[in-house]
Amino acid sequence: MNRLYEKLIRYSKNDYYPMHMPGHKRNTLLLPAGNPYSIDITEIPGFDNLNQPEEILKELSGRISKLYGSAHAFPMVNGSTVGILAGISAATNPGDRVLVARNCHKSVYHTIALRQLKPIYIYPQRVDDSPINGGISPENMEALLIKHPDIKLIIITSPTYEGVVSDIERIVDIAHKYGAILLVDEAHGAHMGFHKEFPKSAITYGADIVIHSLHKTLPAFTQTAILHSNLPKLNQRIQKFISIYQSSSPSYVLMAGIDRCIHLLEEKSETLFCSYYQKLQHFFQMIEKLKHLRLLTGEVIGKYGIHDFDPSKITIITSETPFNGHQLSEILLEKYHVVMEMESRDYILGITSIGDTQEGLDRFAKALLEIDQQIENRCDEKDYKVIDTLVLTPSISKMYPYEAMEHETEVVPLKESCGKVCADIVSQYPPGTPLLVPGEVIEDDLIIFIQQAINDGFTITGLIGDQKDRIEVIKE
């Protein structure tokens, strides 16, 4: 029998290098640990209650808010998804209108449906000659707030999976000018603000609610997260909704992981982040000789609504090579034992952190250089297979998400779904940004993209059937 625990132990002993989360990178020298079973307890006397913290967990909350400079911090053990659910729920009432960046994580859309909210979508700007989305335009946001003065909450993602940071300072000012609450999904930015070469956190600019996934970019266990609140009047509602959405038996192993991560930052953040940035600089210098594989860099700052760029995200664009992202990821995995965080049609993504080693980053750089040289040896420009890129563009919504998710539905072949209204979230995962949201009309170019992505080996969630060739739609 192939049991999970034994498989994980075997995997931990091999030489596969993680260019993916969690941010501890299995680096036991950074955070040595004992047997987790020895500290796995429940809410016994002396150890507080995460859903009603009064003692040691309340102190942990205070340490986190002091470290990040937020008014109040809520540590969580069910991931930033709970923070998204609780933050949106606390800031709205059923029927409220919300302004939503269309490149938000699917948990945002789940909350919109659960709370019966009415979304107005704002789309990120398109980046020329690149498969990624740019930032959110403050000017476009203000125009929508003027057009819809009843908007109660604004929800954006910054940084994005690829490290794109919007102009949060201006967005905060605009949101508050029109009386709206701003929630920033900063799940991929828990490391920001600890070194001058990384972007500042949205907390610094006065965003009202900020969500961090500790485990994504810091040395903490998977599922650990923080909700930061700069609106004291919402704190009681936030705690109530966290208690609703989060497990009533939160893991003390995960809470201990949060505590150790925060203590590490309290004691050694300056040293660790200086060393980390030096490793990144060395990596970037090594791959300067790439000719065909292209690296997304800070050169995009100041364009396409991109206010800043997070250098911890390594996005390698494959559009000018014979490979798509899946194929390049497979080569790195099988030949070089480097495991990527995400593969898309046109690029691969690696996540770095203070848990990375120089040896690991050097191995990744040498692998990319070797692959790039092989492309040089066997291909000329006319042989390049350019992959069509899908960027988020405004779609037609026939009904609100909560209406679509409660409506009578049917399942039809994907290839026959053009013109029908989608009844579920369909997304490429990771990162989980929806290709389709419930209530949106399915268009032919999206069907073609999804079919080709599946054929190329990518994971599309939200489809039905063993072949993932069927989709749930509103019954006509």
Side-chain angles (χ1 to χ4, degrees), residues 100-132:
V100 184
R102 185 52 181 78
N103 61 329
C104 284
H105 186 263
K106 64 181 182 179
S107 60
V108 169
Y109 303 93
H110 288 151
T111 318
I112 287 171
L114 286 171
R115 295 289 287 168
Q116 299 186 0
L117 302 175
K118 299 174 180 178
I120 301 293
Y121 296 126
I122 182 170
Y123 285 76
Q125 296 188 50
R126 181 170 183 171
V127 178
D128 295 337
D129 301 320
S130 176
I132 71 159

Side-chain angles (χ1 to χ4, degrees), residues 76 78 130 174 197 257 261 315 335 374 398 403 417 448:
M76 301 173 295
N78 284 112
S130 176
I174 291 169
E197 297 297 338
C261 176
T315 301
K335 184 174 181 180
Q374 291 169 357
K398 285 291 185 70
E403 295 174 321
S417 65
I448 294 171

Side-chain angles (χ1 to χ4, degrees), residues 384-403:
Y384 290 153
K385 182 176 74 174
V386 179
I387 304 296
D388 290 333
T389 296
L390 181 77
V391 295
L392 292 169
T393 55
S395 57
I396 300 171
S397 292
K398 285 291 185 70
M399 58 184 68
Y400 292 121
Y402 74 88
E403 295 174 321

Side-chain angles (χ1 to χ4, degrees), residues 134-184:
I136 298 297
S137 164
E139 292 81 9
N140 293 345
M141 177 172 289
E142 184 165 23
L144 287 170
L145 288 168
I146 293 171
K147 184 177 180 181
H148 303 279
D150 59 341
I151 287 173
K152 298 291 182 64
L153 174 68
I154 301 169
I155 309 161
I156 67 170
T157 298
S158 178
T160 65
Y161 213 9
E162 298 83 9
V164 167
V165 178
S166 295
D167 190 346
I168 301 299
E169 186 172 19
R170 288 186 62 201
I171 289 172
V172 167
D173 289 341
I174 291 169
H176 292 168
K177 176 182 176 181
Y178 293 92
I181 295 171
L182 176 65
L183 184 151
V184 179

Side-chain angles (χ1 to χ4, degrees), residues 6 15 33 35 56 115 169 177 235 304 343 364 437:
E6 282 75 13
D15 68 340
N35 189 329
I56 192 169
R115 295 289 287 168
E169 186 172 19
K177 176 182 176 181
N235 288 352
Y304 322 112
E343 53 190 47
F364 182 36
V437 170

Side-chain angles (χ1 to χ4, degrees), residues 240-258:
K240 177 175 70 175
F241 280 107
I242 287 177
S243 299
I244 291 171
Y245 296 125
Q246 185 168 248
S247 170
S248 59
S249 300
S251 166
Y252 274 84
V253 175
L254 298 185
M255 286 186 270
I258 294 174

